[in-house]
Amino acid sequence: MIITIVGGGSTFTPGIVTSIALRQKELGVTEVRLFDNDEERQSKVGVVVDWILKDMKSPIKLTVTTDKETAYKDAKFIFAQMRVGKYAMREQDEKISLRHGVVGQETCGPGGMAYGLRTIFPMIEVIDDVEKYAAKDHWILNYSNPAAIVAIACHKLRPNARIINICDMPIAILEMIGKCVGIEDYESIDVDYFGLNHFGWFTRMEYQGRDIVKEIREYCKETGIMLPKMHIEAIKKHMGTGDRHANQSWIKVWTNVCKLMEMNSEYVPNTYMTYYMFPKENVEHSDPNYTRANEVMDTREKTLFEGVDRYLATGEIDKKVFYAGAHGNFIADLAVALLGKCDRKFIVIEPNNGKVPNLPDDVMIELPAVVGVNGPVQDNFGPIKTFYKGMIEQQNACEQLLVEGAIEGSYEKVLHAFALNKTVPSIQVAKEILDEMMEANKDYWPELK
Ligand code: NAD
Ligand code: G6P
Ligand code: MN
């Protein structure tokens, strides 16, 4: 049984492979293949992955390749996590937006839309290559961002693809909340959730008879931040915690989510809602010359690749050079569930088709799902209230129009998509950002006329 990781050179690959190796028996996995179009980057990550498998005394064979057929032949699972344009383009996405006074973020606002225009067609290429070479009953589990836009494009262009689009933010939020209120097995928190990707709300969280929505609301009121006490202490002392969520950009997000809860008394918003609800404050607290891309390059990426170089020079490795945890566990557990061996629910992104009856069928909705060998079956959520419906309809229109614009090569549709985004104040600003981004992305975007 073969699992192929697309974007094998990703900073998250070591963690994902750790999670796979920990579940080797349940998955019945015999081989992990890394596939990337950046040979040099991937071969370095491959060194760490090889070390991890040996350290865990894992029987899993490792193959590192840039050849599609070698990558996909007979694979059962394809875990996709490409960053098209890499951190260099993420930096552009964030900085161009900020230069125009607009939120500069990886998946939200104009940055997310630029990233979407880069990723749609490479993702379709992955689907087609996988279809050609992989096992007939394969599953593509896709983390490649922006997952909301990618999900729409895949559904429009390859409606029968065996792809499940996923995000680790809901589970990461539960992990963080678990740490705040003293729950270790955060995966057992029973939830209701609805939204688009990076645009949703928890409506219920229960754990052994405890109302966790109420508890986290009280915790936020007391501390002003949805981070556990150990992080708060470390932040006060200007110390790192080793957790990326304690970096400056994320501190802002975990603080704003508490502010947002004060104004949204019934649900717990996904942290990404803060970009849409506090765009002005977010811009004011961003450094246009040092964005999240810079933070990531200076922390997660640097630590990993320096760790590889040190290992190659000295034969010694520190496990802290890579992150392993909820992100890898989520995708590996989802694969276990698709083999019919895990009863837990998973929040995934699928076509709505009436589950939220007052939203259109083709909305790519994020909801909890029961997952078995035939794929995910999302819960029927029921109708949503006017505020959330209005928010989702606007964001969905923006993302659908962006995908239509990409497929048709229509400048005007893409412009209207930019103008529809809640982070963008006017169509004039939308146009200025779009024109600058079009120039910066000329090697990546489809031609827009
Ligand atoms: P990274 O840049 O370290 O890794 C991405 C890798 O993708 C790079 O090695 C790059 O060479 C490769 N790549 C780019 N285009 C490719 C192509 N066409 N074919 C094959 N490989 C290609 O980035 P990262 O920070 O580790 O993140 C990896 C991806 O995972 C990003 O898309 C990120 O947004 C996504 N991500 C998603 C979630 C989620 O919740 N959905 C969570 C974390 C990360
Ligand atoms: C969360 C989100 C991902 C996003 C990531 C960014 O995990 O769910 O979709 O890619 O954060 O994290 P970073 O550390 O790269 O800013
Ligand atoms: Mn995500």
Side-chain angles (χ1 to χ4, degrees), residues 23 171 184-190 326 329-330 333 344:
R23 292 158 183 75
I171 197 79
E184 261 177 50
D185 62 331
Y186 57 90
E187 285 155 346
S188 307
I189 301 176
D190 188 27
N329 292 342
F330 185 73
D333 284 339
R344 206 181 94 207

Side-chain angles (χ1 to χ4, degrees), residues 193-246:
Y193 180 92
F194 75 96
L196 307 174
N197 178 240
H198 290 187
F199 203 94
W201 297 265
F202 288 93
T203 59
R204 183 180 66 85
M205 293 181 182
E206 274 173 42
Y207 181 78
Q208 296 178 351
R210 286 163 59 182
D211 177 354
I212 305 304
V213 170
K214 189 163 164 264
E215 287 185 29
I216 194 59
R217 192 171 287 289
E218 281 162 9
Y219 184 92
C220 283
K221 245 192 205 126
E222 181 205 331
T223 63
I225 188 166
M226 198 189 275
L227 286 178
K229 297 259 162 75
M230 62 169 268
H231 282 0
I232 298 175
E233 285 311 309
I235 292 163
K236 270 191 209 147
K237 293 181 192 145
H238 302 285
M239 277 163 55
T241 62
D243 186 320
R244 68 192 167 112
H245 292 288

